[in-house]
Amino acid sequence: MLTRRQLLHVATATAGITLGLAATGAPPAFAADEYDTLRLRWIDKTLLGTGYDSSDEPFATLLALTGSTAAGFLADMNPTSTSLWDDLPIGSVSGNVTSSYVRLKWMAQAWAFDGTGLTGDADLLSDVLTGLDWMYANAYTPTTTTYDNWWDWQIGAPRLSLDIACLLYAELSSGQLADYFEAIDAFVPDSAVSSYSGVSTGANRVDLCRVLILRGVLAKSSAKITTGVNGLSPVFPLVRSGDGFYADGSFIQHTTVPYTGSYGSVLISGLAGLLSLLTGSSWEVTDDNRQLLFDAVTDAFAPFLFNGLMMDGVSGRAISRGVKVVDNPLGIQQDDHVRGHLIIGSILMLADAASATEAATWNAMARGWLERDYWAPLLQDSYQTLPVLALGKSVLEDTSITPTAEPVAARVFGSMDRATHRRGSWALAVSMCSGRTAFYECINGENLHGWHTSSGMTYWWGDTYGNGQYSDAYWPTVDPYRLPGTTVSRIALSDGQGGSRPAPSSSVVWVGGATDGTYSALGQDTRGLGSTLVAKKSWFCLDDQVVCLGAGITATDGYTVETTADNRNLGATASNALVVDGVTQSTTLGWSGTFTGASWASISGVGGYVFPGGATVKALREARTGAWSDINTESSTTSLTRRYLTLWFDHGTDPTAAAYSYILLPGATSTVTAARAASPTVSVLANTGSIQAVTDTATGVTAANFFAAGTAGPITVSAPCSVLIRESDDTLSVSVADPTRAAATITVTINRSGYTKATADDGVSVVGLSPITLIVEVGGAQGASRTITFGTGTTVTAGVYTKLTPTADAYVRDGSYATTNYGSTTDLDVKNTGTGTGYNRRSFLKFDLSGLAATPRRAVLWVRGATSDSAGTQATVTGYAVSSDSWTETGLTWNTQPALGSALSSGSIGSAKDWIPIDVTSHIQTQYAGDRTATVALAEASAGVVVLLASRTNSTNPPFLQVITG
């Protein structure tokens, strides 16, 4: 393997070879400075890797493949006036520009890396340099007018060309470098990261910053590096709308698509490389919010990693790529394991910039994931880069690292309509969608049949089985109308039906659920893509079983509606036995059956299915053939055949209020399944279009999804919500979430009593103990759960809830508007420009406290609205104490506004309308003890974007003050 010195000075180390320098001019003067250190570190961290012997496996094979692939590109390279390679004409398809650089990078690596068979080859180097100059002169020039896909011009081509320049730095003249930089600057100017908007967000922003930073390293420009580093700052903070990480661990890209496993991978990979590169340098990334990225490893990525794979439900259109025919010379399949390995490698690289404690935690998790990956072990994954393989092998061989076991946890990712349920021997994930997220994404000819992947698709894997379920040619061969867990119409859909990112109506908001971290209640107000289908669906995730309910299933299109309990990919040759009520069914391909009054079924080596009360279930054993090109225009046309065993409920044509219920038992044998059917622990309390609820004697869990206010078992609620209670020994826990995000508070009554102690999350107030009655603050939680546990903690007494409306409210504006009154508007505006006048706004609200019967023990001001500003989508609103109450609604102006006192608390808001809770308890207590009139001001503590809130005269969601006394 080439040493750092050899990489810098290989031109002089190759006897008698000028390596093209005579034609391109003298090489730049070299000095061993910080820029050179960073350039070499980039090679070590992201291109070559360290700490391995190139003659060992899997490195020797990968290096040899690099050489043979480069040799093929070298042989086919044929510079003409229109192309560098005949099959990549330049001029209309921007991807051909990127692909040309992809091939040049393969060739540069074959020349630079040891063990390729072409290491230091003069002809190869000469052709790479020729290719780079050809691209500058004909394809990626400072004056080229862009066409086709913006990504190729701003990310694909420049990112690759900079990697090549790092490898060939000593062989490039100052003139060549200047030319390449000029081209990059034309497409990726500093202004590309001046505004966090458009395509310059999330993973794309990280890639743009990578271009700027590496451009600065190679050009030895501190200013360019600084611009790139500063451009990373908007990526780190949590968001409440649009692209980025959310407080619950969700990750969104393209505004509405869950993308942890694809764009999220690009983001963490890019940030890992850059943070590792810059650690300890003059440009180290020191943004305080970078800790949020480190937190995302456990909060956002780890929940979707299982035995080395990244769950497909958060990988968007990437699931359709399979064997790409573009930029995939080795013909390697992309799948969930490949994506998982990429992310694990990024996590291990990111450890360079993290604390020792974090690094140790991540290493232990990584070893657990990789050791358990029996289906597609990392060290057999030829898709991975040398650095990823080196990091993975190092962890696997480090006996001091104790692998982390599979967790027992339940997570609801309400901001991207996803959920996971993890147990020691299996894991499950559910993919849903709402007016906030897309049914699926279909752009660039990818994911053409992804129509129903968010219609309640239920994925699950076992510890020693099923890890190839979605890896083994699943997506091109599965029936896309019969995805496990989904309820869909059989109405025929076209490729890419609905457009690039079709979403349900904005009125579809009940999607998500409640969790206590161990168990969960999930629900989806389901709509059909391209159909009139409506349905309510629920999943109640318990210890060894998942209860699946559906109700209100209705459609009027004239097509059959089906719910698929499972559609197992048995592989190319397997014939797993299907047993229904103790009878083993045929293993002949093409066999089908209808079972009336079925009590249970099982698939050997897979799991069991119980049908409470009996059900009519259909089954089919078939071989299905397809090609990746059927669902992705850039993928292989090779036909693939896989065997499937499908179980489904046929709701008939145009059903009205149809229903289903089944219990999934992952890994259960037929004996275990039969026993559970005979002696169930679960009872279904309700399964209607309004309420779905169950109770389980094995766990003490009672859970209900209320699509409307109502009662189920011991639970009564005042508004739509999800509730999960767990009774164990002398404790009772209650978890509540509002998937609709419509309510500020919800009253929840549990028909239980006798508890005198409780421990509660902020936002849960007890207003009754017999029965237990709670005021749960769900507003602004973005669907997250609030939990209270009775029987432990401090003594609890019941308070009294009072809702107060403002007696006056108004906003004020400075500059030429400083004497204008805005007391009659339906909005309350807030904005801090940071500089200048005329656009700063504050809002004031006044409340009469005289009707309160006792001193408040909690007071929360609730306001609802959203950001509305072209400069950004995220804002923080702060509540301030105001001592003067003499202002009037019709007289208040900027010039007459009362002085702001101390800051009370703050709440965040995005571009989607939501409630903002402002805790004003201390101020309300003071004012109650005084004149019993309270004024609260709302403002931004630092420069931000405008926030529009509903005023008291707004007919929709006006502000109010929640007060708990007693």
Side-chain angles (χ1 to χ4, degrees):
M1 187 176 301
L2 295 182
T3 65
R4 289 187 171 192
R5 181 177 180 83
Q6 287 171 319
L7 279 165
L8 281 168
H9 304 292
V10 71
T12 59
T14 307
I17 300 174
T18 62
L19 303 181
L21 295 179
T24 58
F30 171 76
D33 56 19
E34 191 171 12
Y35 299 102
D36 292 322
T37 299
L38 292 179
R39 173 170 48 81
L40 294 170
R41 185 184 289 179
W42 182 256
I43 294 171
D44 282 348
K45 296 293 185 182
T46 69
L47 300 175
L48 183 59
T50 59
Y52 63 89
D53 187 328
S54 62
S55 63
D56 289 343
E57 294 297 349
F59 310 103
T61 294
L62 184 55
L63 288 163
L65 284 171
T66 300
S68 60
T69 302
F73 291 148
L74 177 63
D76 293 340
M77 186 172 160
N78 179 36
T80 67
S81 61
T82 58
S83 67
L84 198 51
W85 280 273
D86 293 342
D87 61 333
L88 297 177
I90 302 299
S92 60
V93 179
S94 61
N96 289 350
V97 177
T98 297
S99 294
S100 295
Y101 279 117
V102 166
R103 295 180 181 182
L104 290 172
K105 182 176 175 179
W106 276 93
M107 294 162 65
Q109 290 179 142
W111 173 82
F113 295 169
D114 188 24
T116 67
L118 290 173
T119 307
D121 184 273
D123 291 336
L124 176 60
L125 175 62
S126 178
D127 277 6
V128 175
L129 295 174
T130 296
L132 290 173
D133 289 341
W134 189 96
M135 293 295 290
Y136 171 74
N138 300 282
Y140 196 72
T141 79
T143 59
T144 298
T145 299
T146 62
Y147 51 85
D148 202 8
N149 193 333
W150 72 272
W151 184 91
D152 294 295
W153 304 101
Q154 292 193 276
I155 294 176
R159 192 175 63 179
L160 290 160
S161 66
L162 287 165
D163 282 348
I164 297 168
C166 283
L167 292 170
L168 305 185
Y169 184 77
E171 316 310 321
L172 297 170
S173 71
S174 57
Q176 285 175 303
L177 287 170
D179 286 345
Y180 305 158
F181 297 154
E182 183 184 11
I184 291 171
D185 290 347
F187 298 109
V188 194
D190 291 354
S191 60
V193 297
S194 61
S195 172
Y196 197 67
S197 60
V199 298
S200 187
T201 60
N204 290 333
R205 169 58 74 94
V206 174
D207 274 339
L208 291 169
C209 291
R210 168 177 163 173
V211 170
L212 292 170
I213 290 168
L214 286 183
R215 191 310 200 174
V217 167
L218 289 169
K220 303 194 175 184
S221 167
S222 177
K224 190 65 73 171
I225 299 175
T226 299
T227 297
V229 169
N230 291 341
L232 292 172
S233 290
V235 175
F236 297 120
L238 301 178
V239 300
R240 295 184 68 85
S241 60
D243 294 352
F245 289 106
Y246 289 71
D248 64 3
S250 297
F251 178 80
I252 292 287
Q253 190 82 35
H254 290 172
T255 309
T256 60
V257 185
Y259 251 131
T260 312
S262 183
Y263 279 96
S265 176
V266 173
L267 183 144
I268 193 174
S269 173
L271 286 174
L274 293 176
L275 266 62
S276 178
L277 169 71
L278 299 171
T279 293
S281 75
S282 300
W283 303 276
E284 183 169 3
V285 179
T286 58
D287 191 305
D288 290 341
N289 286 320
R290 77 176 195 155
Q291 182 59 44
L292 294 170
L293 172 67
F294 300 153
D295 295 342
V297 171
T298 52
D299 293 344
F301 290 98
F304 295 98
L305 285 163
F306 178 79
N307 289 7
L309 65 82
M310 167 55 61
M311 299 178 184
D312 276 350
V314 289
S315 293
R317 70 185 194 276
I319 62 173
S320 72
R321 289 171 183 161
V323 182
K324 296 266 287 185
V325 294
V326 176
D327 300 336
N328 185 24
L330 301 182
I332 300 171
Q333 175 181 290
Q334 295 186 42
D335 56 38
D336 47 6
H337 290 270
V338 167
R339 287 186 287 274
H341 298 159
L342 286 168
I343 292 173
I344 294 168
S346 298
I347 291 171
L348 293 174
M349 184 181 296
L350 187 63
D352 284 346
S355 69
T357 300
E358 288 167 322
T361 298
W362 301 347
N363 285 339
M365 291 192 303
R367 181 161 186 174
W369 292 324
L370 296 177
E371 280 190 351
R372 294 191 295 268
D373 192 353
Y374 72 89
W375 175 264
L378 169 69
L379 299 184
Q380 297 176 24
D381 185 352
S382 298
Y383 192 91
Q384 302 306 316
T385 63
L386 290 164
V388 169
L389 291 172
L391 289 167
K393 187 173 184 181
S394 175
V395 165
L396 286 168
E397 293 180 346
D398 189 341
T399 57
S400 69
I401 299 173
T402 301
T404 300
E406 177 67 10
V408 174
R411 294 284 301 275
V412 178
F413 300 86
S415 292
M416 63 177 180
D417 297 333
R418 297 292 189 267
T420 58
H421 190 65
R422 311 289 290 262
R423 288 300 180 263
S425 60
W426 55 277
L428 173 139
V430 181
S431 294
M432 303 167 284
C433 64
S434 67
R436 301 179 292 264
T437 56
F439 279 109
Y440 74 117
E441 181 176 69
C442 173
I443 60 175
N444 302 329
E446 297 188 306
N447 204 24
L448 299 175
H449 297 169
W451 315 303
H452 301 304
T453 48
S454 294
S455 295
M457 185 170 180
T458 307
Y459 303 78
W460 55 282
W461 308 259
D463 51 354
T464 59
Y465 64 92
N467 285 198
Q469 175 64 200
Y470 313 101
S471 320
D472 186 16
Y474 179 84
W475 294 107
T477 60
V478 71
D479 183 342
Y481 296 93
R482 288 178 176 163
L483 301 178
T486 62
T487 299
V488 307
S489 168
R490 293 295 301 196
I491 188 171
L493 301 178
S494 60
D495 288 355
Q497 175 91 25
S500 60
R501 299 175 195 96
S505 165
S506 60
S507 64
V508 179
V509 293
W510 208 118
V511 178
T515 181
D516 63 1
T518 302
Y519 307 107
S520 60
L522 312 174
Q524 179 180 20
D525 181 4
T526 308
R527 295 295 186 274
L529 174 64
S531 76
T532 60
L533 172 69
V534 298
K536 300 297 194 301
K537 296 170 65 68
S538 289
W539 299 261
F540 298 98
C541 303
L542 304 170
D543 268 339
D544 64 349
Q545 56 190 330
V546 179
V547 185
C548 308
L549 302 182
I553 302 169
T554 301
T556 59
D557 299 307
Y559 289 86
T560 299
V561 173
E562 299 174 345
T563 295
T564 303
D566 212 341
N567 197 357
R568 300 304 290 181
N569 177 5
L570 305 180
T573 59
S575 298
N576 303 54
L578 170 66
V579 180
V580 180
D581 289 340
V583 178
T584 301
Q585 306 302 313
S586 172
T587 58
T588 302
L589 289 176
W591 167 87
S592 64
T594 299
F595 303 92
T596 303
S599 177
W600 63 271
S602 71
I603 301 175
S604 64
V606 175
Y609 315 83
V610 173
F611 310 113
T616 298
V617 182
K618 290 192 172 183
L620 172 67
R621 187 184 295 272
E622 64 177 335
R624 293 183 56 84
T625 299
W628 286 105
S629 59
D630 294 338
I631 58 175
N632 193 308
T633 58
E634 292 187 345
S635 294
S636 170
T637 58
T638 300
S639 290
L640 303 165
T641 300
R642 295 295 182 269
R643 297 180 175 186
Y644 284 87
L645 189 50
T646 312
L647 298 173
W648 78 94
F649 305 93
D650 186 342
H651 303 299
T653 300
D654 289 346
T656 300
Y660 67 83
S661 65
Y662 65 96
I663 300 173
L664 173 64
L665 301 171
T669 63
S670 58
T671 301
V672 170
T673 305
R676 183 61 56 85
S679 300
T681 65
V682 170
S683 297
V684 177
L685 300 178
N687 186 22
T688 71
S690 298
I691 303 173
Q692 293 174 322
V694 301
T695 187
D696 177 32
T697 58
T699 58
V701 167
T702 299
N705 289 329
F706 295 92
F707 298 98
T711 299
I715 307 169
T716 300
V717 300
S718 64
C721 64
S722 179
V723 181
L724 184 147
I725 69 173
R726 179 162 40 136
E727 297 173 273
S728 175
D729 298 326
D730 296 324
T731 65
L732 165 70
S733 69
V734 183
S735 299
V736 181
D738 175 18
T740 72
R741 307 186 188 184
T745 66
I746 294 175
T747 302
V748 178
T749 301
I750 310 296
N751 191 16
R752 299 287 188 269
S753 60
Y755 294 98
T756 59
K757 293 184 177 182
T759 302
D761 291 342
D762 288 341
V764 182
S765 298
V766 180
V767 295
L769 286 171
S770 184
I772 291 172
T773 306
L774 310 172
I775 300 296
V776 185
E777 299 168 18
V778 293
Q782 294 197 301
S785 297
R786 305 288 193 228
T787 298
I788 184 170
T789 301
F790 290 92
T792 183
T794 59
T795 300
V796 60
T797 58
V800 176
Y801 171 54
T802 303
K803 179 179 178 180
L804 299 177
T805 58
T807 57
D809 64 14
Y811 77 88
V812 298
R813 183 171 178 175
D814 68 349
S816 61
Y817 307 92
T819 60
T820 302
N821 171 257
Y822 295 96
S824 62
T825 64
T826 57
D827 286 332
L828 295 174
D829 295 7
V830 177
K831 185 173 184 179
N832 180 352
T833 64
T835 59
T837 59
Y839 296 97
N840 294 298
R841 277 154 275 187
R842 297 171 179 170
S843 290
F844 294 81
L845 303 94
K846 187 187 299 186
F847 296 91
D848 179 3
L849 310 179
S850 61
L852 298 177
T855 300
R857 65 188 192 191
R858 181 167 178 81
V860 178
L861 171 61
W862 290 97
V863 289
R864 186 174 175 88
T867 59
S868 181
D869 199 315
S870 60
T873 60
Q874 315 296 320
T876 299
V877 175
T878 300
Y880 291 86
V882 176
S883 58
S884 173
D885 305 313
S886 60
W887 61 276
T888 64
E889 188 171 80
T890 57
L892 185 67
T893 68
W894 184 272
N895 287 345
T896 64
Q897 66 177 304
L900 303 188
S902 59
L904 299 171
S905 69
S906 300
S908 299
I909 192 68
S911 59
K913 283 190 176 181
D914 202 355
W915 288 99
I916 306 176
I918 305 292
D919 189 334
V920 294
T921 303
S922 61
H923 180 54
I924 298 303
Q925 289 172 337
T926 300
Q927 298 306 299
Y928 180 78
D931 64 3
R932 300 202 174 184
T933 300
T935 294
V936 177
L938 300 177
E940 291 178 339
S942 57
V945 299
V946 68
V947 180
L948 302 183
L949 306 167
S951 75
R952 76 187 188 99
T953 58
N954 196 311
S955 61
T956 305
N957 298 311
F960 68 93
L961 183 67
Q962 164 203 329
V963 183
I964 307 294
T965 58

